[in-house]
């Protein structure tokens, strides 16, 4: 499988849920992420509480610059979602390093698959081993 990309100098990745700047992440997603525009803060907070959260932080300031969350049973399945990199640090490979770190964090679980949905970042995920569904005709969704 693809090597894990290194994170740019001066940044660190953490899975500590207490470090997540929920207000900042909510602002990013609810105002700038096509999949979460208008998401209410209460729903956002519930989503974080029921997920594994990954943050990228500036080492010196501690400021959060990226976020991803994973919904998983930690045994057979995971869904990677809400991946977001602040516009001020895009182009530094932070998103790629973040998703690579998520992949490596989940590897010991022995999951059968990690799914995600993207409208515009296929290239980022392909570099990390993600591919289109092999048999999309076997998948269904219940949409409310």
């Amino acid at each position: 499988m693809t090597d894990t990309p290194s994170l740019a100098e001066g940044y660190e990745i953490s899975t500590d849920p207490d470090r997540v700047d929920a207000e900042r992440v909510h602002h990013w997603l609810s105002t700038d992420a096509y999949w979460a525009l208008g998401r209410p803060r209460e729903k956002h907070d519930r989503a974080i509480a029921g997920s594994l959260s990954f943050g990228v932080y500036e080492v010196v300031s501690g400021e959060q610059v990226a976020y991803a969350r994973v919904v998983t049973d930690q045994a057979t399945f995971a869904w990677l979602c809400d991946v977001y990199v602040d516009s001020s640090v895009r182009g530094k490979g932070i998103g790629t390093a973040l998703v690579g770190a998520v992949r490596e964090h989940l590897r010991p679980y022995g999951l059968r698959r990690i799914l995600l949905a993207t409208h515009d970042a296929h290239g980022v995920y392909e570099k990390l081993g993600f591919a289109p569904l092999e048999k999309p005709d076997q998948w269904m969704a219940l949409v409310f």
Side-chain angles (χ1 to χ4, degrees):
M1 186 161 276
T2 309
D3 291 333
T4 301
S6 60
L7 188 60
E9 189 174 330
Y11 298 93
E12 63 184 353
I13 296 173
S14 174
T15 58
D16 180 353
D18 294 331
R19 287 190 72 184
V20 173
D21 183 342
E23 182 175 336
R24 181 177 194 135
V25 173
H26 175 256
H27 176 75
W28 285 336
L29 297 177
S30 67
T31 65
D32 192 43
Y34 65 84
W35 66 89
L37 292 175
R39 180 185 291 168
R41 176 64 192 265
E42 181 273 330
K43 183 173 282 205
H44 167 77
D45 290 346
R46 280 191 293 132
I48 287 177
S51 303
L52 296 174
S53 289
F54 296 77
V56 178
Y57 304 88
E58 291 182 350
V59 172
V60 174
S61 70
E63 180 181 8
Q64 187 167 357
V65 298
Y67 178 75
R69 71 182 179 91
V70 175
V71 181
T72 182
D73 62 8
Q74 300 182 6
T76 63
F77 177 81
W79 174 43
L80 173 61
C81 55
D82 287 347
V83 178
Y84 189 91
V85 177
D86 187 78
S87 61
S88 68
V89 296
R90 290 181 189 157
K92 296 182 177 185
I94 288 173
T96 302
L98 174 59
V99 174
V102 169
R103 182 190 66 196
E104 293 312 307
H105 182 91
L106 297 175
R107 188 182 299 278
Y109 295 170
L111 304 172
R112 180 175 173 133
R113 66 180 44 92
I114 302 169
L115 291 182
L116 62 86
T118 184
H119 176 71
D120 58 356
H122 295 80
V124 171
Y125 297 108
E126 287 169 349
K127 286 189 279 188
L128 294 160
F130 286 86
L133 290 174
E134 194 171 299
K135 298 179 181 179
D137 57 314
Q138 292 182 2
W139 291 85
M140 297 180 71
L142 176 62
V143 180
F144 291 101

